[in-house]
């Protein structure tokens, strides 16, 4: 199996637990990964601190973190061949900029690169309800080749903690990204 090069972008939408669980899962899948580049918006750092009560994102030193304005990051160009980008959680503002090709920071530039190179973009949108503008932006990103994976947890695995609930979404994201993983499968033993 070829190892994956993944971009993880974290925006200021509520749902930092999804990013934290994704980091934990990617750490467990290191044998399938060549590189993980991470970019967080300033709001993402504030929301993480507010929702999770810590700055533990800084402890994931197996990943390479980039400043939100660092257009010298390797995944700012298609030549670096990052094959997957996961935006978790994905704010509606970020989604709107991506849908309209506005590359004003590293998150939107990396998404633009992933889409133009016909690679895998997974946007874990976390907002409710959706306005028609949101729906149209999701449609545009989908038509451009992106995958909209709302942060809608499932409960048939009978999760017992908030991390397990978030894990139901993260497992779907990792499946969409093409990782081999052990996770709950409906009606499978």
């Amino acid at each position: 199996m070829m190892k994956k090069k993944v971009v993880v972008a974290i925006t200021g939408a509520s749902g930092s637990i999804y990013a934290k669980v994704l980091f934990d899962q990617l750490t467990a899948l290191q044998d399938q990964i060549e590189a993980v580049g991470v970019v967080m918006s300033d709001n993402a750092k504030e929301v993480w601190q507010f929702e999770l009560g810590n700055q533990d994102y800084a402890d994931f030193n197996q990943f390479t973190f980039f400043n939100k304005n660092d257009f010298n990051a390797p995944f700012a160009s298609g030549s670096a061949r990052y094959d997957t980008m996961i935006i978790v959680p994905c704010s509606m503002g970020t989604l709107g900029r991506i849908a309209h090709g506005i590359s004003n920071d590293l998150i939107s530039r990396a998404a633009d690169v992933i889409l133009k190179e016909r690679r895998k973009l997974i946007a874990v949108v976390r907002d409710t309800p959706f306005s028609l503008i949101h729906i149209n932006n999701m449609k545009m990103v989908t038509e451009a080749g992106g995958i909209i994976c709302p942060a809608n947890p499932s409960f048939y695995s009978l999760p017992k903690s908030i991390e397990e609930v978030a894990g139901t979404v993260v497992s779907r994201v990792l499946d969409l990204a093409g990782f081999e993983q052990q996770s709950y499968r409906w009606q499978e033993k």
Side-chain angles (χ1 to χ4, degrees), residues 153-165:
S154 62
F155 296 92
Y156 45 66
S157 63
L158 305 176
K160 304 285 188 269
S161 68
I162 190 168
E163 289 80 11
E164 289 180 7
V165 170

Side-chain angles (χ1 to χ4, degrees), residues 16-181:
S16 298
I17 188 67
Y18 294 107
K20 197 264 187 219
V21 171
L22 178 65
F23 280 176
D24 290 338
Q25 292 298 322
L26 288 174
T27 298
L29 297 170
Q30 281 295 302
D31 61 327
Q32 298 179 50
I33 295 172
E34 180 179 335
V36 175
V38 178
V39 58
M40 295 178 74
S41 71
D42 294 336
N43 287 343
K45 293 174 184 176
E46 289 181 30
V47 172
W48 184 301
Q49 172 70 40
F50 180 80
E51 292 182 348
L52 302 179
N54 60 53
Q55 295 177 340
D56 287 355
Y57 55 84
D59 294 339
F60 288 92
N61 53 16
Q62 67 273 39
F63 308 141
T64 305
F65 283 75
F66 295 88
N67 180 284
K68 67 177 183 155
N69 294 313
D70 184 358
F71 286 86
N72 290 314
F75 47 85
S77 169
S79 64
R81 300 190 67 168
Y82 276 71
D83 49 80
T84 304
M85 180 174 185
I86 302 166
I87 309 173
V88 59
C90 182
S91 69
M92 289 302 167
T94 299
L95 186 74
R97 287 186 292 281
I98 293 166
H100 294 277
I102 301 170
S103 299
N104 65 338
D105 65 7
L106 183 55
I107 294 173
S108 53
R109 170 60 187 165
D112 190 39
V113 166
I114 290 288
L115 289 173
K116 79 178 183 70
E117 297 292 331
R118 307 299 192 267
R119 297 182 184 142
K120 197 169 284 190
L121 173 69
I122 303 165
V124 183
V125 295
R126 218 297 319 137
D127 210 337
T128 190
F130 297 136
S131 74
L132 184 56
I133 294 168
H134 301 153
I135 292 166
N136 284 331
N137 287 337
M138 286 187 269
K139 177 181 181 274
M140 289 177 71
V141 169
T142 301
E143 289 174 340
I147 299 170
I148 304 299
C149 182
N152 296 336
S154 62
F155 296 92
Y156 45 66
S157 63
L158 305 176
K160 304 285 188 269
S161 68
I162 190 168
E163 289 80 11
E164 289 180 7
V165 170
T168 66
V169 172
V170 170
S171 288
R172 293 288 291 148
V173 168
L174 292 171
D175 280 349
L176 290 167
F179 284 97
E180 295 296 323
Q181 61 165 330

